[in-house]
Amino acid sequence: MDSAVIPVSKLREFLIELFKEVGLNNSHAGIVADSILCAELRGVKSHGLVRVSTYIERVEKKATNINAKIKTEKIKKATALINADHGFGQIAGFYGMKLAITLAKKYGVGLVGIKNSNHFGIASFYSMLALKHDMIGIVLTNSSPAIAPYGSSKPLLGTNPLSIAIPSKEEKPIILDMSTSVVARGKIRLAKLKNQKIPFGWALDSSGRDTDDPDLALKGSLVPIGGPKGSGLSLVIDILCGVLTNTCLTGEVKNVTDMTGPSKTGHLFCAVNIADFIEKNVFKSNIDEIIRKIKSLPSINNLQIFLPGEIENNLEEKSLREGINLDSNLIDELSRLASRYKIKNLI
Amino acid sequence: MDSAVIPVSKLREFLIELFKEVGLNNSHAGIVADSILCAELRGVKSHGLVRVSTYIERVEKKATNINAKIKTEKIKKATALINADHGFGQIAGFYGMKLAITLAKKYGVGLVGIKNSNHFGIASFYSMLALKHDMIGIVLTNSSPAIAPYGSSKPLLGTNPLSIAIPSKEEKPIILDMSTSVVARGKIRLAKLKNQKIPFGWALDSSGRDTDDPDLALKGSLVPIGGPKGSGLSLVIDILCGVLTNTCLTGEVKNVTDMTGPSKTGHLFCAVNIADFIEKNVFKSNIDEIIRKIKSLPSINNLQIFLPGEIENNLEEKSLREGINLDSNLIDELSRLASRYKIKNLI
């Protein structure tokens, strides 16, 4: 099978059928499908369809609880703590952000922690849910050890991404979605596959020395952005997601590929209702003006200046129009899953 | 006059007398004094006593409104928007964080925006106010243009610091207080004074080229941490502080030394009540355990590993015990202010 371009609607149907056969109800299968497609559409392929087989393997090996019942453990007016019951992070995450939005409508701000969750895919899937309510969405998650606390050589902190989505009027919204490491580990794996060196400044070897060797880097740790700053930011995100939610301590999150048990992932969702601070149309026009101001600044080497999320917004538009290109390996992988779960193949 | 070590209580009395003569009431003068001393004690001298003459000059030139009346413009249960009336940022900031704490007690989280404010000094002065209430304190502020949006050569974004304070039990609290640039502009000024080159990666010249020349760097822009990541983080902090509070658009904040009018500074304060998520003693013991875990990790070159704020916490303890060392220039500057405002000199 060669690579093929598949319409998004077809992929969505396929994913929903697949996750229903795996054991989710229709609505939950839709959420997981939408999260995966959100990553795929926005060009964040590391959190897209390549994860499907891992997510399903987790269910098969009971690392992810397919029968999870999401429970509200605490609610205190504008805040809530939700127990994801070790189910899909996407389902708990969607529920958490929706609840944050509901709370923000009533209280001006809503803050929802999720405990006992799993990998939830692309963070901006959740922060962007706030946009159509004219709210700012803020999302944090912990993740498995990858970064060494500044001054140490042992990875303990996750890349712990944060996403902030800000609505605009005529321009496309500003969508920050960043990890606290200089690069993702995936970029180092790619360099290794291609037998290439990596730039200094990306990773440390297991003794904490800067390295350009992808092999040594993968046995070592990722460099945080801004040294002690990124390391500190990663630590506080870890505490807000893991400790505040009573899920785990720093360093205890398992990688999504570790099937030995619950991954001990925690998330934090916040929605801020803009109209409780400033007239929402004034806010959104002001964001448009800022976007235009930044786009028209003098650029380095006459290259285009991009706002946070702009490249991804453009890719999403294009993929919605033209479909998503899947390489042959991925098509084969999805075909095997289709056979195993006895659903109609993609192609 | 040589340098001298002054007890903190004496400095505090001096500052309160001085700011009272400048026109603040006793309680407001105390807040400004405490904020300045907080920076001084924690070794963040750039936000300490060296700022006193600038703060006073701002009042004299009516850039800071000494008669400011802080007004609540909007309140929606867990959120509020406060108008600082172009007065001291420290007073509005203190009020804002206190209000966020009050709201968090009732609603679980409190979020307070401050508009029309001024330079508020060291961000962690405010975030740390949450600690004794067993809350997490989060503080953001915008600042004058210093960083070029990623891909551009023109500074538009501030260094836009963020501070997050997290309470502990027996260990000292974790206090993140960081800007979004690799280094502060002050470090480049210092290199220039010493006729030294700066490392590549700190700053860009006015064409956006990486430079090791402090002169060119000061005419150019600061490099954000992690390239597009720090640039994006700075932009969203700017929007949360400037646009959400209806104070100004990105790029419009005036430097504290610009006496031509209001500085258009905005801040955002958030308090999170830990007990609404997890039993507070469990949380604080867990933070202790994380601190000990990180301190005992293998370190690079056998150097000590420091938690965010640890160096500053240690300095604060030492200065409280031993007093603060002021150099002769600073003593002279404070003496001139004492004469001008007819208060008893420091020495």
Side-chain angles (χ1 to χ4, degrees):
Chain A
M1 172 67 70
D2 288 339
S3 76
V5 175
I6 319 271
V8 178
S9 58
K10 191 167 176 183
L11 276 168
R12 187 168 190 273
E13 271 172 43
F14 174 84
L15 288 173
I16 289 176
E17 283 313 303
L18 181 60
F19 282 110
K20 276 165 72 176
E21 288 304 318
V22 170
L24 295 179
N25 67 32
N26 192 59
S27 133
H28 287 174
I31 293 167
V32 176
D34 286 341
S35 157
I36 290 166
L37 289 174
C38 174
E40 196 70 38
L41 285 164
R42 294 177 72 77
V44 187
K45 298 209 166 242
S46 60
H47 289 50
L49 292 160
V50 296
R51 297 280 185 174
V52 172
S53 63
T54 304
Y55 290 145
I56 291 177
E57 189 185 348
R58 288 188 71 77
V59 173
E60 291 167 348
K61 296 193 169 155
K62 300 193 188 310
T64 292
N65 178 8
I66 194 73
N67 300 309
K69 300 270 177 285
I70 293 173
K71 289 181 276 282
T72 304
E73 287 207 352
K74 283 173 183 274
I75 187 143
K76 171 72 176 293
K77 299 192 193 288
T79 63
L81 177 68
I82 304 298
N83 191 333
D85 196 18
H86 307 294
F88 272 84
Q90 290 86 348
I91 299 166
F94 186 84
Y95 179 81
M97 193 70 208
K98 288 281 189 185
L99 180 57
I101 290 165
T102 302
L103 295 174
K105 266 183 197 146
K106 190 160 175 195
Y107 297 103
V109 61
L111 186 69
V112 176
I114 310 262
K115 75 190 287 184
N116 297 342
S117 189
N118 273 300
H119 195 268
F120 72 3
I122 179 173
S124 47
F125 175 64
Y126 311 96
S127 60
M128 290 193 298
L129 293 173
L131 296 176
K132 65 170 178 283
H133 301 276
D134 291 326
M135 294 188 185
I136 294 167
I138 304 173
V139 173
L140 313 174
T141 187
N142 64 7
S143 56
S144 58
I147 295 173
Y150 190 71
S152 161
S153 55
K154 191 172 156 47
L156 191 80
L157 305 165
T159 55
N160 296 356
L162 77 102
S163 175
I164 303 183
I166 294 174
S168 50
K169 198 170 187 176
E170 287 162 13
E171 301 293 331
K172 287 181 207 146
I174 294 173
I175 315 289
L176 182 70
D177 190 342
M178 58 176 269
S179 72
T180 55
S181 58
V182 172
V183 294
R185 206 183 276 265
K187 282 207 182 170
I188 299 174
R189 280 201 206 95
L190 200 65
K192 185 185 166 175
L193 279 175
K194 291 184 178 173
N195 254 323
Q196 288 170 344
K197 294 273 179 196
I198 57 169
F200 284 106
W202 279 16
L204 308 178
D205 68 17
S206 57
S207 317
R209 276 183 299 259
D210 199 4
T211 182
D212 64 351
D213 178 332
D215 266 316
L216 296 177
L218 289 169
K219 287 175 196 146
S221 63
L222 299 177
V223 172
I225 56 170
K229 298 183 180 190
S231 170
L233 189 59
S234 175
L235 175 62
V236 299
I237 292 174
D238 193 278
I239 290 168
L240 288 167
C241 295
V243 185
L244 186 68
T245 65
N246 207 1
T247 302
C248 70
L249 302 192
T250 300
E252 295 179 351
V253 182
K254 284 184 189 165
N255 193 282
V256 63
T257 58
D258 178 341
M259 307 286 168
T260 60
S263 73
K264 301 189 177 176
T265 305
H267 327 294
L268 195 70
F269 298 92
C270 181
V272 178
N273 191 34
I274 290 164
D276 291 323
F277 292 87
I278 171 175
E279 207 279 301
K280 66 188 179 187
N281 282 309
V282 174
F283 179 89
K284 292 197 284 183
S285 297
N286 285 345
I287 297 299
D288 278 4
E289 196 175 329
I290 288 167
I291 291 170
R292 288 170 194 148
K293 195 183 208 178
I294 290 176
K295 295 291 288 181
S296 66
L297 286 177
S299 76
I300 299 174
N301 298 328
N302 287 319
L303 295 171
Q304 213 183 326
I305 299 169
F306 292 103
L307 273 292
E310 185 179 355
I311 292 171
E312 294 81 4
N313 289 339
N314 293 344
L315 274 172
E316 182 168 351
E317 261 191 10
K318 184 172 179 288
S319 316
L320 281 171
R321 211 169 46 230
E322 299 174 8
I324 292 174
N325 188 43
L326 305 190
D327 71 28
S328 56
N329 286 337
L330 187 52
I331 293 176
D332 290 347
E333 196 170 276
L334 295 174
S335 296
R336 283 193 296 273
L337 287 168
S339 307
R340 189 146 93 241
Y341 284 94
K342 301 190 172 56
I343 65 164
K344 189 163 167 283
N345 206 342
L346 247 185
I347 300 189
Chain B
M1 173 66 69
D2 290 338
S3 76
V5 175
I6 320 271
V8 178
S9 58
K10 191 169 176 181
L11 277 168
R12 187 166 190 274
E13 272 171 43
F14 175 84
L15 288 173
I16 290 176
E17 282 314 302
L18 181 59
F19 283 108
K20 276 164 72 173
E21 287 306 319
V22 170
L24 294 180
N25 67 31
N26 192 60
S27 131
H28 287 174
I31 293 167
V32 176
D34 286 341
S35 157
I36 290 166
L37 289 175
C38 174
E40 198 68 38
L41 286 165
R42 294 177 72 76
V44 187
K45 297 210 166 245
S46 60
H47 289 51
L49 292 159
V50 295
R51 296 280 185 174
V52 172
S53 63
T54 304
Y55 289 146
I56 291 177
E57 190 186 348
R58 288 188 70 78
V59 173
E60 290 167 350
K61 296 193 169 153
K62 300 194 188 311
T64 292
N65 178 9
I66 194 73
N67 300 310
K69 299 271 177 282
I70 293 173
K71 288 180 277 279
T72 305
E73 288 207 352
K74 281 172 183 274
I75 187 143
K76 172 70 175 296
K77 299 192 193 286
T79 63
L81 177 68
I82 304 298
N83 191 332
D85 197 19
H86 307 295
F88 273 85
Q90 290 86 349
I91 299 166
F94 185 84
Y95 179 82
M97 193 70 209
K98 288 282 190 183
L99 179 56
I101 290 166
T102 302
L103 295 174
K105 266 183 196 146
K106 191 161 174 190
Y107 297 103
V109 61
L111 186 68
V112 175
I114 310 263
K115 75 191 286 186
N116 298 342
S117 188
N118 273 301
H119 195 268
F120 73 3
I122 179 173
S124 47
F125 176 64
Y126 312 96
S127 60
M128 290 193 298
L129 293 173
L131 296 176
K132 65 169 178 279
H133 301 276
D134 291 326
M135 293 188 185
I136 295 167
I138 304 173
V139 173
L140 312 174
T141 186
N142 65 6
S143 56
S144 57
I147 296 173
Y150 191 71
S152 161
S153 57
K154 193 173 156 44
L156 191 80
L157 305 165
T159 55
N160 296 356
L162 78 101
S163 175
I164 303 183
I166 294 173
S168 48
K169 198 169 187 177
E170 288 161 13
E171 301 292 332
K172 285 181 209 147
I174 294 173
I175 316 290
L176 182 70
D177 190 342
M178 58 176 268
S179 73
T180 55
S181 58
V182 173
V183 294
R185 207 183 276 265
K187 282 207 182 168
I188 299 173
R189 282 202 204 94
L190 199 65
K192 186 185 164 175
L193 280 175
K194 291 185 179 172
N195 254 323
Q196 289 170 342
K197 295 272 180 197
I198 56 170
F200 283 106
W202 280 16
L204 307 178
D205 68 17
S206 57
S207 317
R209 275 184 298 258
D210 199 3
T211 182
D212 64 351
D213 178 332
D215 266 316
L216 297 177
L218 289 168
K219 287 175 196 146
S221 64
L222 299 177
V223 171
I225 56 169
K229 297 184 180 189
S231 170
L233 189 58
S234 176
L235 175 63
V236 299
I237 292 174
D238 193 279
I239 289 168
L240 289 167
C241 295
V243 186
L244 186 67
T245 65
N246 208 0
T247 302
C248 71
L249 301 194
T250 301
E252 294 178 352
V253 182
K254 283 184 190 164
N255 194 282
V256 64
T257 58
D258 178 341
M259 307 285 168
T260 60
S263 73
K264 301 190 179 176
T265 305
H267 327 292
L268 195 70
F269 299 92
C270 181
V272 177
N273 192 34
I274 290 163
D276 291 324
F277 292 87
I278 170 176
E279 206 279 302
K280 65 188 180 189
N281 282 310
V282 173
F283 179 88
K284 292 198 285 183
S285 298
N286 285 345
I287 297 300
D288 279 5
E289 195 175 330
I290 288 167
I291 291 170
R292 289 172 193 147
K293 195 184 208 177
I294 290 176
K295 294 291 286 181
S296 66
L297 286 176
S299 76
I300 299 174
N301 298 329
N302 287 319
L303 295 172
Q304 214 182 325
I305 299 169
F306 292 103
L307 273 291
E310 186 180 354
I311 292 171
E312 294 80 4
N313 289 339
N314 293 343
L315 275 172
E316 183 168 350
E317 261 190 12
K318 184 172 179 290
S319 316
L320 282 171
R321 211 169 44 230
E322 298 174 7
I324 293 174
N325 188 44
L326 305 190
D327 73 26
S328 56
N329 287 336
L330 187 52
I331 292 175
D332 290 348
E333 196 170 276
L334 296 174
S335 295
R336 282 193 297 275
L337 288 168
S339 306
R340 188 146 96 242
Y341 284 94
K342 301 191 173 57
I343 65 164
K344 189 162 168 283
N345 205 342
L346 203 48
I347 300 190

